[in-house]
Amino acid sequence: MSLGEYHKKRDFERTVEPRGARKVRGKGGRYVIQKHAASRLHYDFRLEMGGTLKSWAVPKGIPFEKGEKHLAVQVEDHPVEYRDFEGIIPEGQYGGGTVMVWDAGTYESLGSEAAKDLAAGKLHFALKGKKLKGEWTLVRIKRGDEKQWLLIKSGADLKSVSKKKDDESALTGRTMAKIARARAAEWDAVAVPASARKQPTAKRLPAAAKPAEAPKSLRRLREPAAKQAFVAPMMATLVSAAPTHGKWRYEVKFDGFRALAFHNGQEAQLFSRNAKDFNLRFPEIAAAVAALPLHDAILDGEIVALEADGRSSFQLLQGLETESERPPLVFYVFDLLRAAGRDLRDQPLEARRERLRKIVAGASELIKFSADIAGHSNALLTEVRRLGLEGLIGKKEESVYESGRRSRNWIKLKCVHEQEFVIGGYTPPEGSRKHFGALLVGVHEGKRLLFAGKVGTGFNAAVLQLVHEEMKRFAQPNCPFSDLPEKKQGRWAQNITPREMRLCRWVAPRLVCQVKFTEWTNDRKLRHPVFLGLRDDRPAGKVMRERAVKLG
């Protein structure tokens, strides 16, 4: 390969990747391994040879045990300058995402000559880098197919890289999240003020980046905080259009878990909106809140996982429940209910938020203030829709905090259709798919559970297994939907016929999931639904169809 293919795939007016010379003279002998959070996280293994970097994408990372084999897909040659590239490849560009110099050093061919051995389909070499030391072998899987190789650990086993070192650049010492945050400058050209934008972070991190178990001090609060009574959050009302009168403030609507943080001066306790303990699920957030200079305080906010472009994604949060990946998290705080033992809920919104802004100004990068967005509501909606965000939260100026109420002083303006649904059953898997085919979901109307449709997309293998294991706990013989099978004008509806119902498996309506969809159909079914994740912060019995209201 030459650098022609490398240049053809990139727009160097948009990407900051090095253009590189056509060929660079030199003896070679250097290597680099780059951690790359593109559409899927993988590692790029590059050997300097013949004036370029011979390159392979290794989805499962470098093997450490003798005889262990990982697939390595050869890609286009890269310029030698790429050895020091660390940063962000913009969305829409080839390989868009965060790139870290994971390891770098020199290599030595243990055969005859590296270039000849590689051309022959087998290269045995030794690495001497900052993280890796030892022997490996690259073997072409099939003659005539230049792309498919195996990267095999030769020689002795190598001790695995620690969790900390795995997410630490060998070039700068930065984490993937810190590298990704350098992209914030690229947002300066859009209408949403920089102070209000969510800071981008790494797209996905592997299970190795999963934080250690929360310290015992965070698992249960000491007596003073444990006695602090739970305060139910104030909820926003979904509206069909932005208000045309009154003074309103707007913030980005996040797509995560609503969380209340209770701080007793030494420790922090996180709770969901229905008072479930969040500390063991989000130990890094609990630790960051505990470090804030607070005493007898309550913060309100949303725990989110961010895509590389800064958008919050509930689907990424599903990685917390699987062993395959764990997303980086941020706690966006937007209200202060209590501080220094004083209840602030009767104070005006602006006073509460200004005090909160000062508290989190020097906080950990895991805690951010959800800033106001200036501008007319309709223009803001157009902008957040263009950026692919979920919507806006509007809050009436001077409004007090109404605990436990869904108030019209706080409103939701959505750009996408998304809400909770109750799982009532599932269809059997077909073809190579395992566990189940599609979820059967519904909403409550009074005491009846009404069928809303099948959800068959949005799953990976790990999530399929996780959801199936959860559903097996609630297996039951009878259909929980009061309107199945459906009969219309003397004919069975197409959604689920009596014959299909015999193949379905039913579960007690206890599990709640988040689903994104394009619209409700005229017969009250979901069009193009996509599964985003399970959630346990909403009782199944309270899940109803969310309908927008008009403000008076």
Side-chain angles (χ1 to χ4, degrees):
M1 294 184 185
S2 69
L3 293 182
E5 186 176 352
Y6 171 86
H7 289 129
K8 191 183 341 181
K9 290 181 175 181
R10 290 161 176 83
D11 180 355
F12 292 102
E13 292 185 359
R14 294 191 60 198
T15 183
V16 293
E17 296 167 276
R19 182 182 294 273
R22 284 286 172 179
K23 194 171 182 180
V24 178
R25 292 183 179 181
K27 296 181 179 180
R30 295 181 295 181
Y31 81 92
V32 65
I33 300 171
Q34 284 155 320
K35 191 173 181 178
H36 189 176
S39 56
R40 290 185 179 274
L41 187 130
H42 62 278
Y43 292 76
D44 293 315
F45 179 58
R46 313 190 197 280
L47 298 174
E48 186 179 359
M49 193 181 301
T52 62
L53 293 174
K54 301 293 180 184
S55 300
W56 294 261
V58 187
K60 293 187 177 180
I62 310 302
F64 290 98
E65 297 182 6
K66 183 177 181 179
E68 186 180 1
K69 304 174 183 178
H70 287 180
L71 176 68
V73 180
Q74 190 169 15
V75 298
E76 72 277 8
D77 290 359
H78 283 52
V80 292
E81 294 93 335
Y82 213 93
R83 183 174 175 270
D84 298 321
F85 174 67
E86 182 172 279
I88 300 295
I89 302 173
E91 285 288 321
Q93 289 294 292
Y94 177 74
T98 308
V99 178
M100 167 200 284
V101 176
W102 186 80
D103 191 31
T106 60
Y107 77 96
E108 177 185 359
S109 173
L110 300 180
S112 56
E113 184 181 330
K116 290 182 179 179
D117 289 349
L118 191 68
K122 184 176 182 179
L123 174 62
H124 184 200
F125 56 92
L127 298 181
K128 187 176 181 181
K130 294 184 178 181
K131 295 180 182 178
L132 301 184
K133 293 177 176 60
E135 299 178 23
W136 282 264
T137 304
L138 272 166
V139 178
R140 188 186 296 121
I141 294 177
K142 184 178 179 182
R143 190 172 183 83
D145 185 352
E146 299 294 327
K147 292 185 177 182
Q148 303 294 316
W149 295 70
L150 289 175
L151 180 60
I152 306 170
K153 182 67 182 80
S154 309
D157 290 352
L158 182 70
K159 185 178 179 181
S160 295
V161 175
S162 68
K163 293 178 182 179
K164 180 181 177 182
K165 289 290 184 181
D166 181 70
D167 194 35
E168 186 177 283
S169 167
L171 183 67
T172 64
R174 297 184 297 175
T175 63
M176 291 288 279
K178 287 181 179 178
I179 295 168
R181 284 189 180 89
R183 184 178 176 175
E186 294 184 19
W187 289 60
D188 288 343
V190 302
V192 179
S195 61
R197 290 179 213 127
K198 297 179 294 242
Q199 296 298 313
T201 186
K203 195 156 198 164
R204 298 187 183 206
L205 298 181
K210 189 174 183 177
E213 186 181 26
K216 290 182 179 179
S217 62
L218 288 176
R219 298 180 200 170
R220 287 289 181 268
L221 290 173
R222 294 191 182 98
E223 197 65 17
K227 287 185 176 180
Q228 195 174 47
F230 176 75
V231 176
M234 180 176 177
M235 308 298 289
T237 298
L238 179 64
V239 297
S240 56
T244 56
H245 61 276
K247 294 183 178 180
W248 294 82
R249 293 173 174 266
Y250 292 95
E251 303 168 43
V252 168
K253 186 181 186 304
F254 300 111
D255 195 10
F257 281 111
R258 183 76 174 273
L260 292 162
F262 292 72
H263 197 301
N264 71 349
Q266 295 178 312
E267 302 157 325
Q269 177 69 58
L270 301 176
F271 288 107
S272 72
R273 59 185 173 181
N274 61 338
K276 286 184 176 286
D277 186 340
F278 266 174
N279 273 33
L280 294 183
R281 182 180 291 189
F282 306 113
E284 61 271 69
I285 301 297
V289 174
L292 291 174
L294 289 170
H295 172 67
D296 194 3
I298 306 174
L299 287 72
D300 190 3
E302 189 113 352
I303 298 174
V304 302
L306 299 183
E307 296 277 6
D309 59 4
R311 290 174 295 174
S312 59
S313 168
F314 190 83
Q315 200 163 27
L316 275 184
L317 284 173
Q318 193 68 48
L320 293 166
E321 312 299 335
T322 69
E323 293 299 323
S324 58
E325 55 194 26
R326 179 181 178 89
L329 304 173
V330 173
F331 183 29
Y332 275 97
V333 292
F334 46 70
D335 218 320
L336 184 65
L337 283 58
R338 187 180 183 88
R342 182 184 174 187
D343 192 336
L344 306 178
R345 288 175 290 175
D346 60 350
Q347 291 193 10
L349 174 69
E350 184 177 1
R352 301 195 309 269
R353 283 175 54 78
E354 185 57 33
R355 190 164 179 175
L356 176 63
R357 186 199 305 271
K358 293 176 180 178
I359 289 172
V360 300
S364 157
E365 60 186 23
L366 297 177
I367 302 176
K368 295 188 180 298
F369 180 72
S370 174
D372 293 334
I373 307 174
H376 189 274
S377 57
N378 290 332
L380 293 176
L381 275 174
T382 300
E383 183 61 21
V384 298
R385 188 178 289 112
R386 185 186 70 80
L387 293 172
L389 305 179
E390 191 188 356
L392 293 173
I393 294 291
K395 297 176 181 178
K396 226 173 192 178
E397 290 189 4
E398 303 299 316
S399 60
V400 298
Y401 193 94
E402 303 171 66
S403 294
R405 286 197 58 199
R406 188 171 294 280
S407 171
R408 294 196 179 192
N409 288 324
W410 284 16
I411 60 173
K412 291 185 286 187
L413 291 161
K414 286 189 174 183
C415 295
V416 297
H417 294 289
E418 184 180 312
Q419 73 157 80
E420 300 104 340
F421 289 89
V422 178
I423 299 174
Y426 56 95
T427 62
E430 296 180 356
S432 61
R433 188 160 182 166
K434 295 181 179 180
H435 306 299
F436 63 89
L439 298 178
L440 308 177
V441 303
V443 291
H444 283 99
E445 189 175 277
K447 294 184 178 180
R448 303 167 66 216
L449 181 64
L450 303 182
F451 179 63
K454 301 177 186 177
V455 184
T457 59
F459 307 96
N460 59 28
V463 173
L464 281 169
Q465 181 178 359
L466 167 72
V467 175
H468 189 238
E469 290 296 323
E470 288 294 309
M471 290 192 295
K472 287 194 297 185
R473 295 171 49 217
F474 300 102
Q476 67 177 34
N478 302 320
C479 172
F481 298 103
S482 62
D483 58 345
L484 283 184
E486 293 178 295
K487 199 169 188 178
K488 295 183 178 180
Q489 298 179 347
R491 295 185 179 184
W492 296 111
Q494 295 297 312
N495 292 300
I496 300 182
T497 65
R499 179 181 176 276
E500 288 176 315
M501 285 191 66
R502 291 195 290 270
L503 301 175
C504 294
R505 298 293 179 265
W506 308 110
V507 299
R510 300 288 184 269
L511 295 172
V512 177
C513 64
Q514 190 84 359
V515 175
K516 179 172 65 176
F517 54 99
T518 56
E519 63 178 351
W520 286 93
T521 64
N522 291 334
D523 60 347
R524 303 197 302 180
K525 298 298 181 291
L526 302 177
R527 193 184 300 280
H528 306 135
V530 178
F531 176 86
L532 298 180
L534 293 174
R535 59 187 317 151
D536 58 2
D537 59 339
R538 180 75 179 263
K542 293 186 177 180
V543 173
M544 296 178 289
R545 177 173 172 177
E546 195 171 22
R547 289 180 168 88
V549 301
K550 291 184 178 180
L551 289 179

